[in-house]
Amino acid sequence: MAFGRSSRAKQRPVEPITLKILVAGGFGVGKTTAVGAVSEIRPLRTEERLTEAGRPVDDLAGVESKTTTTVAMDFGRITLREDLVLYLFGTPGQDRFWFLWDELAQGALGAVVLADTRRLEDCFAAVDYFERRRIPFTVAVNCFQGAGRFPAQTVRAALDLDPGVPVLLCDARDRASVRDVLVAVVEHALERAARDRPPVTT
């Protein structure tokens, strides 16, 4: 008995595109929380307890209740679509671990800079880092309870951001909120890549 070709062609599994996104910002701004909130796998965390030995170099003003700190990175993964997966790398926020940033930034499509309006100056260094390296980024203001709420334009002016840099309000504990921020980063990075691509000549 001859078997004819099936009328329904077998669909090949989609091979997803994988993109690397950094989640950066100052100490205690919510990077570990954000990665954990949105990751579909158990996130990798490299947290250690804060000790008396670190007190002279760890500024806890505004985050006095914080008892741990990221010493290398956080890692998580989220599937935005069947064909698009993001790998998330949360950077350490303290100055003494900044030597790791260059390694983590290798191959990154873009970045999220988390900001806390109570300590807005703590994200200046991250903004400067990505601007200098021309890595597209989005600023996401983590709306902590009790922190002042300001319009995005006010935050943009305070950080002296270029007009094209997206600024969003978010809740780092909420999966949908963090996902919206990640979508904004990807869209911004792809738009900038298309804009910067040299014209095709014939």
Side-chain angles (χ1 to χ4, degrees):
M1 180 176 179
F3 291 91
R5 181 174 296 180
S6 172
S7 59
R8 291 185 179 180
K10 291 184 178 179
Q11 292 185 345
R12 295 181 180 179
V14 176
E15 187 67 29
I17 297 171
T18 58
L19 303 174
K20 181 179 183 180
I21 301 293
L22 299 186
V23 181
F27 176 54
V29 78
K31 300 180 295 296
T32 299
T33 300
V35 172
V38 80
S39 180
E40 63 199 16
I41 62 172
R42 182 176 180 179
L44 169 67
R45 292 173 174 164
T46 57
E47 288 195 304
E48 296 292 341
R49 292 192 64 82
L50 293 168
T51 65
E52 286 297 320
R55 188 173 294 277
V57 292
D58 296 332
D59 180 11
L60 298 180
V63 287
E64 291 82 2
S65 62
K66 189 168 176 59
T67 59
T68 61
T69 185
T70 298
V71 296
M73 68 173 186
D74 299 308
F75 174 76
R77 184 189 72 199
I78 177 174
T79 302
L80 290 184
R81 296 190 318 238
E82 182 185 6
D83 60 345
L84 181 58
V85 174
L86 303 186
Y87 289 117
L88 310 177
F89 291 79
T91 65
Q94 294 162 285
D95 294 352
R96 56 193 168 118
F97 298 123
W98 268 57
F99 66 92
L100 295 168
W101 279 49
D102 286 341
E103 290 294 329
L104 293 175
Q106 290 291 326
L109 174 77
V112 177
V113 175
L114 276 175
D116 178 354
T117 57
R118 300 169 301 180
R119 307 174 67 183
L120 200 57
E121 67 280 0
D122 287 2
C123 71
F124 287 168
V127 169
D128 183 64
Y129 182 91
F130 296 123
E131 285 182 340
R132 287 178 180 273
R133 287 158 181 80
R134 295 189 54 78
I135 296 175
F137 67 95
T138 291
V139 172
V141 180
N142 191 8
C143 298
F144 287 91
Q145 185 174 1
R149 301 292 179 95
F150 301 95
Q153 285 303 113
T154 301
V155 175
R156 179 186 303 281
L159 294 177
D160 193 26
L161 298 174
D162 290 338
V165 176
V167 179
L168 299 88
L169 304 182
C170 78
D171 182 343
R173 303 165 299 180
D174 182 76
R175 177 181 173 83
S177 183
V178 177
R179 186 183 185 280
D180 288 345
V181 171
L182 295 173
V183 169
V185 174
V186 173
E187 290 178 345
H188 174 55
L190 294 179
E191 287 171 3
R192 204 174 90 172
R195 186 174 65 247
D196 294 345
R197 188 179 300 127
V200 177
T201 56
T202 57

